[in-house]
Amino acid sequence: MKTGVVFGGSGLIGGTIVNFYKQRRPGIVDMLAPSSKKVSLKNCQDIRNYLLAVKPDFVINAAIANINADPQLSFEVNYVGAINVARAAATLKVPYFFFSSAATLPQGSGLRETDTLPLNAKLSNYAKSKLMAEETLRYMADNEGLDYTCIRLSIVYGNHDHKIQGFHRLLFTIADESMPFLFTNKGTLHSYSNCRKIPYAIHHMFENRQEYSCQTYHFVDPVPVELADLIMTIKSYLQLKSPRKVYVPYSVARTGKKSIQIILRLLTKVGLKASLPPELMFLGAFYRTQTLSSEKLFNSSFVDPMPEETVYTRLPEMIVYYLNRWAHQNLITTFDEKIEFDQQIHEDFKHNPMALLESIHRDATAPFDPDTP
Ligand SMILES: NC(=O)c1ccc[n+]([C@@H]2O[C@H](COP(=O)([O-])OP(=O)(O)OC[C@H]3O[C@@H](n4cnc5c(N)ncnc54)[C@H](OP(=O)(O)O)[C@@H]3O)[C@@H](O)[C@H]2O)c1
């Protein structure tokens, strides 16, 4: 059995990888996922001590600071952390899988792996730190013998996003009926990355190092998706009235965003703290086509395990999953689908917790039998 280490194992992508090795490929890889409390990517010694002690057969970095983190945190976690993991991987001579983002690419259609933005001061902290990490990993491959693969993702969709971000923020905003109109242009296209296919690619790339070493790959569904169409499809699944099919021009959306920012700043003066979703820092991207070419990966030996699956085919299941989740967390009230929960337990928990406690004491507190599988 091999040992893998994934940083960011509690996140959307890292968690999917951990789950893959536990549920779908049990017994092949013992996938360790230290939390940021155990190993912080901000701490070089943490990384060094942990990895040199565990001696994994491969390392995956799916950790990331908050998308709107300040320069220091972005630099320390996304860049220096990524490089320190690479240094440990180079010491151990094991493959290193690094996740990057379409934020390193310009707008445009069919973007190739080589089409990166030039590194410059005006980039967001996130894009800058990712670009710098990509650049240094290339440098380390050339000069330090690092064996790495960079996997560039676009908008990722999948279950178990414990934060509400990216694609799931879009879903949340529609479900919460807080999107009155379309904040995009007609025909604006984007690429989407299917989270549950990612571990298959990692596993294949791990088993075929010669082919995938020191390479960057776009990991996106081959067919781009129109943002407006996706929004209207989600709306129709949810049978909601909003958003209306009215395209808000970018200039109006940008002015609206700035006005709300001023109002929110004023509200803090009277003790109310509220903020806009961090995704709005990418407002411009809602209005610009950015599609990534998946040709390089398609032409490699990796075979898509679920070629028919797209963001559209997964929508019904994801909607049920997230709406249940958000309803349980009291985050949305508009969705009143029956939540599967034993009605008697529900009633007892609400109105008669003593009875519930007694029945649990009677039936469900015996120590586990170690001989029962
Ligand atoms: N989601 C997307 O739409 C998307 C799009 C493009 C690229 N990507 C890339 O995919 C990768 C994974 O993203 P994600 O969406 O899965 O992220 P996520 O759900 O936000 O998870 C972030 C993970 O990073 C960990 N982390 C944060 N600070 C850390 C630190 N100082 N030290 C160690 N771990 C730390 C967190 O661990 P704790 O909970 O233990 O703090 C958490 O497990 C990132 O590289 C991201 O840039 C994602």
Side-chain angles (χ1 to χ4, degrees):
M1 180 129 131
K2 303 275 184 199
T3 302
V5 167
V6 57
F7 295 108
S10 65
L12 171 63
I13 289 144
T16 307
I17 294 169
V18 172
N19 191 266
F20 171 83
Y21 283 111
K22 192 176 89 183
Q23 308 276 7
R24 305 216 172 239
R25 296 281 191 279
I28 295 181
V29 172
D30 183 15
M31 183 53 75
L32 307 178
S35 74
S36 60
K37 281 95 193 163
K38 184 163 182 164
V39 183
S40 172
L41 290 202
K42 281 166 73 179
N43 188 322
C44 177
Q45 279 305 320
D46 268 13
I47 297 169
R48 188 179 188 281
N49 294 347
Y50 180 82
L51 287 176
L52 299 196
V54 168
K55 295 193 177 48
D57 297 289
F58 64 106
V59 188
I60 302 167
N61 181 2
I64 191 79
N66 281 345
I67 196 95
N68 56 347
D70 73 354
Q72 182 181 348
L73 194 61
S74 307
F75 174 75
E76 287 179 352
V77 177
N78 304 353
Y79 178 57
V80 182
I83 298 317
N84 282 330
V85 176
R87 291 172 71 191
T91 308
L92 295 166
K93 301 196 185 330
V94 296
Y96 175 39
F97 295 93
F98 173 73
F99 284 105
S100 191
S101 157
T104 59
L105 297 169
Q107 61 193 77
S109 301
L111 299 167
R112 313 294 299 243
E113 280 74 359
T114 44
D115 286 334
T116 48
L117 284 164
L119 182 63
N120 71 68
K122 285 197 182 135
L123 293 172
S124 69
N125 299 328
Y126 176 65
K128 211 185 284 177
S129 58
K130 285 287 182 191
L131 258 182
M132 288 170 68
E134 285 192 10
E135 189 66 34
T136 305
L137 292 184
R138 251 191 309 274
Y139 176 87
M140 288 178 69
D142 292 344
N143 296 284
E144 312 291 350
L146 174 71
D147 170 10
Y148 83 105
T149 305
C150 172
I151 300 170
R152 235 185 247 144
L153 305 173
S154 194
I155 305 161
V156 181
Y157 61 92
N159 290 353
H160 305 289
D161 191 351
H162 292 189
K163 300 175 189 164
I164 303 174
Q165 55 190 2
F167 170 76
H168 311 104
R169 167 71 62 188
L170 176 78
L171 189 55
F172 181 85
T173 311
I174 301 168
D176 197 37
E177 296 185 70
S178 45
M179 186 191 288
F181 307 111
L182 295 174
F183 292 93
T184 181
N185 285 331
K186 194 170 169 30
T188 299
L189 299 171
H190 296 116
S191 291
Y192 286 78
S193 302
N194 185 332
C195 194
R196 75 169 166 192
K197 293 182 186 177
I198 294 172
Y200 292 90
I202 294 270
H203 191 70
H204 179 78
M205 290 174 177
F206 172 55
E207 289 190 323
N208 295 275
R209 284 319 295 153
Q210 277 207 332
E211 181 179 0
Y212 293 98
S213 186
C214 307
Q215 297 287 329
T216 296
Y217 291 91
H218 289 169
F219 191 90
V220 292
D221 294 343
V223 181
V225 168
E226 189 195 7
L227 179 56
D229 185 64
L230 182 61
I231 293 172
M232 297 318 274
T233 308
I234 295 172
K235 172 189 154 177
S236 77
Y237 273 124
L238 293 172
Q239 299 177 354
L240 297 171
K241 291 200 181 73
S242 61
R244 309 239 169 241
K245 201 166 185 181
V246 175
Y247 294 90
V248 179
Y250 178 55
S251 55
V252 177
R254 201 179 46 181
T255 311
K257 180 184 142 189
K258 283 193 178 144
S259 314
I260 294 170
Q261 272 170 335
I262 293 169
I263 294 168
L264 293 179
R265 237 173 272 141
L266 290 174
L267 283 176
T268 58
K269 306 245 184 267
V270 291
L272 289 174
K273 181 79 188 132
S275 56
L276 285 172
E279 286 78 5
L280 282 184
M281 71 192 251
F282 298 122
L283 183 65
F286 302 169
Y287 288 83
R288 290 193 296 260
T289 285
Q290 190 202 51
T291 65
L292 282 61
S293 163
S294 58
E295 214 178 297
K296 184 173 172 188
L297 186 61
F298 184 80
N299 289 335
S300 79
S301 63
F302 174 65
V303 179
D304 186 340
M306 301 156 231
E308 69 299 332
E309 200 170 279
T310 68
V311 67
Y312 286 111
T313 65
R314 291 233 40 215
L315 262 184
E317 183 209 326
M318 282 196 293
I319 286 175
V320 171
Y321 171 82
Y322 280 107
L323 263 54
N324 268 299
R325 182 183 176 87
W326 296 330
H328 278 305
Q329 293 172 339
N330 282 328
L331 291 173
I332 47 171
T333 48
T334 45
F335 175 66
D336 57 2
E337 186 88 349
K338 276 228 169 341
I339 291 169
E340 280 177 32
F341 188 37
D342 186 305
Q343 205 50 36
Q344 187 57 49
I345 297 179
H346 189 226
E347 286 305 309
D348 283 352
F349 187 68
K350 266 174 88 177
H351 305 296
N352 194 0
M354 283 311 292
L356 189 56
L357 193 78
E358 274 163 30
S359 86
I360 298 271
H361 285 188
R362 230 179 10 251
D363 303 328
T365 53
F368 291 122
D369 178 357
D371 299 326
T372 310

